[in-house]
Amino acid sequence: MTRSTNSGGSSKRSGPSSSLHGSAGSGNKRRKTKSSGGGNQQTLGMAWGASSSSACRSSFRSSPFSDFGSYMSEKNRKLQEQFCAEATCSSNGQLSLNALFKGVSIFVDGLTVPSCQELRVYMLKYGGRLENYFSRHRVTHIICSNLPSSKIKNIRSFSAGLPVVKPNWIVDCIACNKLLSWVPYQLDQLSDNQPRMSNFFGLQGGLISEEPSSGKIDALPENDHSFSKCPIPKDLKLPVASRGTESRGHGAWACGEEENVDSLEDKGDLKGKAVEIAEEDSISKQTEEGGCVPQEFGDGSDNSSNAANCYTGYPGRAELIDRDTEKNSSLMGSINGSFTKPSLSTVNHCPKQSPRTSTCSDDTERSSKGHSSLGDPNFVENFFKYSRLHFIGTWRSRYRKRFSSISCRNEGVSVLQARDDDGKNIIIHIDMDCFFVSVVIRNFPELQDKPVAICHSDNPGGTAEISSANYPARDYGIKAGMFVRDAKALCPHLVIFPYNFEAYEEVADSFYDILHKHCNKVQAVSCDEAFLDMTDSSVEDPELLASLIRREIFETTGCTASAGIARNMLMARLATRNAKPNGQFHITLEMVDEYLRELPVKALPGIGYVLEDRLRQRDILTCGQLRDRSKEFLQREFGLKTGEMLWSYSRGMSTRMVGTLNESKSVGAEVNWGVRFRDSKDSKQFLSNLCKEVSSRLQGCGLQGRKFTLKIKKKRKDADEPVKYMGCGDCENLSHTTTVPTATDEVDVITRIAIQLFGSFNLDVKDIRGIGLQVSKFENADASRQARGKATIRSWLTSDSATGETSNISHHIVDRVGKGSKMQNMKEPSNELHSGSTSAASLSRGKLVGLSIDQRGSKDSCTGRGDYLDSCSHSAASNLERMEVEREGVNVLTCEAAAHISASMKTDLMPLSLSQIDSLVLQQLPEEVRKSIIQMLPAHRDQSMPAATPSNPAQNGQLQSTNQSFTNNQKSALEEDLWTGSPPLWVDKFKMRNCWVLNTFADMYGQSEETSALSRVLRHLISDISCLDENVSDWDEAILDISKLLKQYIRLKVELDIEEMFICFRLLKRLGLKSKLFQQIEKVVYPFLQASVAEHYGVVTWTVLQESNLTGRKQVWWVKLLIHKSQIYFMENIFDDLKRQCRLCKIV
DNA sequence: ATCCTCCCCTAC
DNA sequence: TAAGGTAGGGGAGGAT
């Protein structure tokens, strides 16, 4: 069952607040509240609210910036002045400047190369202008690099004849030092819609000739005043209709009466009847006949008015396209009382009806694909751009960045006020009224008392969700989360505006500017809601202050806010319920009991539908009833914390303090709309895009995480197609988590992790309806990066020392051991150790020493590396039978190697089951080889592998089709064993496994003389070296032999072969016991490693690890990694180098 | 006891 | 057509 998302704007308290005001009937609640002063609390603030109900609006109108977007107008004017000032400076400073672009005024749409910022500089330098917001009156050229299909129509609509040109035009003009014709530079995608050349060259043709500025695009007169100085655009001085081009006023879809809406649903129940197609068809016809007729103050040049056209995102995501003309269109509609006139309605239906026209068919095809993950490579990006919930959800992080300095200032004081409400705390809660609607309609006073809502679509039969509804609309029962078709059914003349995220962002900024100005303890709740702690403020009358703040908010933003005042955050918030809309309410200490007695429990923050329901089942409907239950009862029934919360909230008690936003603990991205996959290629592509998004968000916050959670929404077996268009419907929610030792924000790493997690779900991708990836366990990005930069094997391999004679690895270890400081460090893995390793790093020319132990060292912040080190120290302490110095040396090497592994093979540092490993390994192989292996696997498992370590190719979707999967029992036995097996078992398993791998290949190619020889070689190497005892002299001899062999090899080729690696492997296996041999061995081994790839290191490190006696999960974890790495290496090389191996066989 | 995973619930 | 996200917190149950 799909839950209705009761979110967005200020409609979030729709339930309780509407009931609160329900007694007012369908009359104007605003008037009622204002005049009544909010009931018995006739506060000063309320008095202001009451007296200003009419006065405020009239004063709004008559103030210097009274009408449309005065605030925004002012801002735009400033922007323009700023531009002019910069241009003046610029031209003074640089002699080479000329007026190349004089008369050219560009508007940059979307991402361009050069960037908008660069283009701005060019325009500054060469006498042109860059408009921040689109205005047909001022803009002469739209600059655009590329258009997603969804935008093509948009551009077609709003460009209205202006040339849409690639940014190269500007660059080339500068290069040629003359104003070139833009025609060759027009955007291909739009070329069929570009203004005809004759229109421009002949300065004639309907649209263009009516637009003085745009009619002179390529031949602007030198004396065009509009560009010769810094004019405040004429339209700023115009009355209502054309003022405030920057006001973001987007056109409403003035709504026609829809007679055919016959499928109504219960509120909140999204499982209604299907949309009536026939109804849409009738509208479609209507539109095609009479629609699409441009309507804009009669000049008939604006035919745009759909959501995509209007909405352009919010800062950092998309660019603004402002269309003052469009606003005028809507305004005209409202002035003329045209809400019910089909003619206007058809204009607004045009975009969605027009696809059926021939000219748009291609676009339609593409844009329709764009509604799901199918066929739109940019689906994820586009989805977020247009998602209201994404806007709401990500607002905090934007706020965090924007007001970080102020937040810091708060942090100090928030600690001080840890006192309960016995003190004299004064908390003010401020919440904007129906925020999304208010922002959009503040420029339309005529709409203030009309029902207005915000929605992506005004399709009266559609399943777009209402995000915010103003109070008149709520009178009709319209609520956030409701389908637009239901809203239209309740109120056919409902005016629907599209989103304008940029405007919300700007208003929110102003809102917080004001709050911070009045109070230094501000806690942001959302873009339209905050708490102020006035306890330590010198302000005597909080009500007066609240009213001042509210008034300032209104004067600055044109939007009203309500305020609740109380002794703690809980009560202040509840007070705001009573204050809304546009009022304020003070709950004094004495009132608390009475206030809560009849308050429905649902009104308490933290009680949602589920908890409300559970309470109702226990006959608890009001806070008074809640208060009758003991804390023990509540804790028993609802859990410790929840019970405690219920108990204290029902008494109006809250210990929450007004504080700053805490550091974020997780960052993620998810998409549960429009997710449809045909095959695993689709899903991988989608996942990859999602990872890009997550990665960029992490980087944007400067965070790197170690814990990754992949969430999947899987269609339930018996679930029907969702009622909501492209919705996820009835789904199972699944999630898998993995933790890696090295924090990361890198897209490649994250993608590989995500793909592995994804594989572990083992799903039919056709059932997937939503995917999300969340990252947590953050470490400081800079520190991680720094550590990793030092530690990368790449840096070591590419360093001078790496190509020089030998590494100093043994020297530095000996050096460190000799210092005798290591034991202490080992016992106490903390900062000291880190500094120890740093000094070690400086001792060695080899970059191998860039040990990246977590600097913090405390238990809580212990990273994989820290834990790892801990284990090392433990093993050092518990293995006293070995020479401590040697032991220590091993641990140092082990840690370093581990750090390097973690740095150079980042993505593989995650728990892998053998089945996953098999899948991964197999994936890397050529198809025919893979098939033959898959066929072999079960048989070989039985013969050559321990029963507890079967391979499970079924884990991988691709392999599943072979029907060679293992049973679930086998799988779980394996998994269990992998995770719980003790270390010694692991070592054995690894040995067995390698034997198994070798046997597998030997047997596979057993018919071939070549491969059986290979098999013999490998066996020989293993047994030969393994037979050596611990006697140093034996080893010396062996090393001599082997080094001869290796030297011989190295003369023949650059890279190590499987045997060579095996030799290194076995050699280094002995390192743990024979650290005195370091010097000898390194001469042999490290040149190979230098010339080799990271995989070798995996094997080498595994060997060292094996000797370190790691215990518990850590070892399992590392061993798994190493198995993975080494096996991939084995497999790949065995196949790739099969023939080369034959040569080696002869040698042996 | 404490931690972890896999959920679910909630607010915005 | 339509853009059902984000993040924190808590509970159950299992591992250590």
Side-chain angles (χ1 to χ4, degrees), chain A residues 735-759:
Chain A
S735 80
H736 281 185
T737 300
T738 191
T739 308
V740 301
T742 307
T744 187
D745 60 3
E746 287 175 39
V747 63
D748 291 347
V749 180
I750 294 171
T751 305
R752 290 178 63 184
I753 292 170
I755 285 175
Q756 282 207 346
L757 280 169
F758 185 75

Short mmCIF file of all heavy atoms in Angstrom, two decimals, chain A residues 735-759:
data_model
loop_
_atom_site.label_atom_id
_atom_site.label_comp_id
_atom_site.label_asym_id
_atom_site.label_seq_id
_atom_site.Cartn_x
_atom_site.Cartn_y
_atom_site.Cartn_z
N SER A 735 16.83 -4.08 2.18
CA SER A 735 18.07 -3.31 2.27
C SER A 735 19.23 -4.21 2.66
O SER A 735 19.07 -5.16 3.42
CB SER A 735 17.91 -2.17 3.28
OG SER A 735 18.07 -2.62 4.58
N HIS A 736 20.35 -3.91 2.10
CA HIS A 736 21.59 -4.59 2.47
C HIS A 736 22.65 -3.55 2.77
O HIS A 736 22.68 -2.49 2.16
CB HIS A 736 22.07 -5.49 1.33
CG HIS A 736 21.34 -6.79 1.24
ND1 HIS A 736 21.69 -7.77 0.35
CD2 HIS A 736 20.27 -7.27 1.92
CE1 HIS A 736 20.88 -8.80 0.49
NE2 HIS A 736 20.00 -8.52 1.43
N THR A 737 23.49 -3.92 3.70
CA THR A 737 24.50 -2.97 4.15
C THR A 737 25.88 -3.60 4.07
O THR A 737 26.02 -4.81 4.27
CB THR A 737 24.21 -2.58 5.61
OG1 THR A 737 22.93 -2.00 5.69
CG2 THR A 737 25.24 -1.59 6.13
N THR A 738 26.85 -2.80 3.78
CA THR A 738 28.22 -3.28 3.89
C THR A 738 29.09 -2.15 4.44
O THR A 738 28.78 -0.98 4.24
CB THR A 738 28.76 -3.77 2.53
OG1 THR A 738 30.00 -4.43 2.76
CG2 THR A 738 29.00 -2.63 1.57
N THR A 739 30.12 -2.52 5.12
CA THR A 739 31.04 -1.52 5.65
C THR A 739 32.42 -1.78 5.09
O THR A 739 32.87 -2.92 5.09
CB THR A 739 31.07 -1.60 7.19
OG1 THR A 739 29.74 -1.53 7.68
CG2 THR A 739 31.87 -0.45 7.77
N VAL A 740 33.03 -0.77 4.61
CA VAL A 740 34.38 -0.91 4.05
C VAL A 740 35.37 -0.22 4.99
O VAL A 740 34.99 0.64 5.77
CB VAL A 740 34.47 -0.31 2.63
CG1 VAL A 740 33.49 -0.97 1.72
CG2 VAL A 740 34.25 1.18 2.65
N PRO A 741 36.62 -0.59 4.93
CA PRO A 741 37.56 -0.04 5.91
C PRO A 741 38.03 1.37 5.57
O PRO A 741 38.47 2.09 6.45
CB PRO A 741 38.74 -1.01 5.83
CG PRO A 741 38.67 -1.57 4.48
CD PRO A 741 37.24 -1.61 4.09
N THR A 742 37.94 1.71 4.33
CA THR A 742 38.42 3.02 3.95
C THR A 742 37.26 3.89 3.50
O THR A 742 36.55 3.53 2.58
CB THR A 742 39.42 2.89 2.78
OG1 THR A 742 40.42 1.96 3.16
CG2 THR A 742 40.06 4.24 2.49
N ALA A 743 37.11 4.99 4.16
CA ALA A 743 36.02 5.89 3.78
C ALA A 743 36.26 6.41 2.38
O ALA A 743 37.40 6.64 1.98
CB ALA A 743 35.95 7.05 4.77
N THR A 744 35.19 6.58 1.67
CA THR A 744 35.35 7.04 0.30
C THR A 744 34.21 7.95 -0.12
O THR A 744 33.12 7.91 0.45
CB THR A 744 35.41 5.84 -0.67
OG1 THR A 744 35.72 6.32 -1.97
CG2 THR A 744 34.09 5.10 -0.72
N ASP A 745 34.49 8.78 -1.10
CA ASP A 745 33.44 9.55 -1.76
C ASP A 745 33.58 9.41 -3.26
O ASP A 745 32.96 10.12 -4.03
CB ASP A 745 33.53 11.03 -1.35
CG ASP A 745 34.85 11.66 -1.73
OD1 ASP A 745 35.69 10.97 -2.35
OD2 ASP A 745 35.06 12.84 -1.40
N GLU A 746 34.43 8.49 -3.67
CA GLU A 746 34.73 8.40 -5.10
C GLU A 746 33.67 7.61 -5.84
O GLU A 746 33.25 6.53 -5.41
CB GLU A 746 36.09 7.74 -5.31
CG GLU A 746 37.23 8.66 -4.92
CD GLU A 746 38.57 7.96 -5.02
OE1 GLU A 746 38.75 7.18 -5.98
OE2 GLU A 746 39.40 8.17 -4.13
N VAL A 747 33.31 8.15 -6.97
CA VAL A 747 32.18 7.57 -7.69
C VAL A 747 32.47 6.14 -8.15
O VAL A 747 31.61 5.27 -8.05
CB VAL A 747 31.76 8.48 -8.87
CG1 VAL A 747 32.86 8.62 -9.90
CG2 VAL A 747 30.49 7.95 -9.51
N ASP A 748 33.68 5.90 -8.59
CA ASP A 748 34.00 4.54 -9.06
C ASP A 748 33.90 3.53 -7.92
O ASP A 748 33.37 2.44 -8.09
CB ASP A 748 35.41 4.51 -9.63
CG ASP A 748 35.50 5.30 -10.92
OD1 ASP A 748 34.43 5.64 -11.46
OD2 ASP A 748 36.62 5.57 -11.37
N VAL A 749 34.43 3.94 -6.82
CA VAL A 749 34.42 3.05 -5.66
C VAL A 749 32.99 2.79 -5.23
O VAL A 749 32.58 1.63 -5.03
CB VAL A 749 35.20 3.71 -4.51
CG1 VAL A 749 35.19 2.80 -3.30
CG2 VAL A 749 36.63 4.01 -4.94
N ILE A 750 32.25 3.85 -5.12
CA ILE A 750 30.87 3.71 -4.66
C ILE A 750 30.07 2.86 -5.64
O ILE A 750 29.27 2.02 -5.24
CB ILE A 750 30.23 5.10 -4.49
CG1 ILE A 750 30.93 5.84 -3.34
CG2 ILE A 750 28.74 4.98 -4.19
CD1 ILE A 750 30.53 7.29 -3.23
N THR A 751 30.33 3.06 -6.90
CA THR A 751 29.59 2.30 -7.89
C THR A 751 29.87 0.81 -7.75
O THR A 751 28.96 -0.02 -7.80
CB THR A 751 29.96 2.77 -9.31
OG1 THR A 751 29.76 4.18 -9.39
CG2 THR A 751 29.12 2.07 -10.35
N ARG A 752 31.11 0.48 -7.56
CA ARG A 752 31.42 -0.94 -7.44
C ARG A 752 30.82 -1.54 -6.18
O ARG A 752 30.33 -2.66 -6.18
CB ARG A 752 32.94 -1.15 -7.49
CG ARG A 752 33.49 -0.87 -8.89
CD ARG A 752 34.97 -1.02 -8.96
NE ARG A 752 35.43 -2.37 -8.67
CZ ARG A 752 36.71 -2.71 -8.60
NH1 ARG A 752 37.62 -1.79 -8.77
NH2 ARG A 752 37.06 -3.94 -8.36
N ILE A 753 30.86 -0.78 -5.13
CA ILE A 753 30.24 -1.26 -3.90
C ILE A 753 28.74 -1.47 -4.12
O ILE A 753 28.17 -2.50 -3.76
CB ILE A 753 30.46 -0.25 -2.76
CG1 ILE A 753 31.93 -0.21 -2.37
CG2 ILE A 753 29.60 -0.60 -1.55
CD1 ILE A 753 32.30 0.91 -1.42
N ALA A 754 28.14 -0.48 -4.75
CA ALA A 754 26.69 -0.55 -4.96
C ALA A 754 26.33 -1.73 -5.86
O ALA A 754 25.35 -2.43 -5.61
CB ALA A 754 26.19 0.75 -5.56
N ILE A 755 27.14 -1.94 -6.86
CA ILE A 755 26.83 -3.03 -7.78
C ILE A 755 26.97 -4.38 -7.06
O ILE A 755 26.17 -5.29 -7.26
CB ILE A 755 27.72 -2.95 -9.04
CG1 ILE A 755 27.20 -1.82 -9.92
CG2 ILE A 755 27.73 -4.26 -9.80
CD1 ILE A 755 28.04 -1.52 -11.14
N GLN A 756 27.94 -4.46 -6.20
CA GLN A 756 28.06 -5.70 -5.43
C GLN A 756 26.87 -5.89 -4.50
O GLN A 756 26.33 -6.99 -4.40
CB GLN A 756 29.35 -5.66 -4.62
CG GLN A 756 30.56 -5.96 -5.48
CD GLN A 756 31.70 -6.55 -4.66
OE1 GLN A 756 31.67 -6.49 -3.44
NE2 GLN A 756 32.67 -7.11 -5.35
N LEU A 757 26.51 -4.83 -3.83
CA LEU A 757 25.35 -4.93 -2.95
C LEU A 757 24.12 -5.32 -3.75
O LEU A 757 23.32 -6.16 -3.33
CB LEU A 757 25.11 -3.59 -2.25
CG LEU A 757 25.99 -3.28 -1.04
CD1 LEU A 757 25.83 -1.83 -0.63
CD2 LEU A 757 25.65 -4.19 0.12
N PHE A 758 24.01 -4.68 -4.88
CA PHE A 758 22.86 -4.94 -5.73
C PHE A 758 22.80 -6.42 -6.11
O PHE A 758 21.74 -7.05 -6.06
CB PHE A 758 22.96 -4.06 -6.98
CG PHE A 758 21.77 -4.14 -7.87
CD1 PHE A 758 20.60 -3.51 -7.52
CD2 PHE A 758 21.83 -4.85 -9.06
CE1 PHE A 758 19.49 -3.58 -8.35
CE2 PHE A 758 20.72 -4.92 -9.88
CZ PHE A 758 19.56 -4.28 -9.53
N GLY A 759 23.96 -6.95 -6.47
CA GLY A 759 24.02 -8.35 -6.84
C GLY A 759 23.56 -9.26 -5.72
O GLY A 759 22.95 -10.30 -5.94
#
